[in-house]
């Protein structure tokens, strides 16, 4: 897996907490990855539920 580096430079007179920003970014990325995993793992179940929900309308 390739490693990406992101660097930030705050504006002058900007109160900036690098650790807080890093933690927020990691939290957002983890949330995105978890949502992707859940969507991938539950795709077939959702398809079955949709088919079951609309089966009476399909003839």
């Amino acid at each position: 897996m390739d490693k990406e580096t992101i660097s930030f430079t705050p504006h002058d007179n900007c109160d900036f907490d690098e650790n807080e920003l890093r933690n927020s970014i990691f939290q957002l990325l983890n949330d995105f990855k978890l949502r992707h995993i859940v969507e991938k793992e539950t795709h077939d179940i959702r398809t079955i539920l949709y088919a079951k929900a609309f089966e009476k309308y399909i003839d």
Side-chain angles (χ1 to χ4, degrees):
M1 183 172 183
D2 293 333
K3 184 175 180 178
E4 295 285 335
T5 302
I6 300 173
S7 60
F8 295 93
T9 304
H11 294 286
D12 292 337
N13 300 323
C14 178
D15 189 20
F16 181 78
D17 183 358
E18 185 177 343
N19 287 329
E20 185 177 328
L21 176 63
R22 182 183 298 119
N23 290 338
S24 295
I25 290 172
F26 282 135
Q27 183 179 10
L28 290 170
L29 290 173
N30 284 333
D31 183 59
F32 177 79
K33 178 146 179 126
L34 179 61
R35 288 175 186 270
H36 176 73
I37 291 169
V38 168
E39 195 273 326
K40 183 175 149 186
E41 294 292 326
T42 61
H43 182 277
D44 293 337
I45 294 169
R46 286 184 289 113
T47 301
I48 292 168
L49 290 174
Y50 289 140
K52 185 74 173 163
F54 294 105
E55 71 183 350
K56 66 181 175 182
Y57 299 108
I58 300 172
D59 194 3

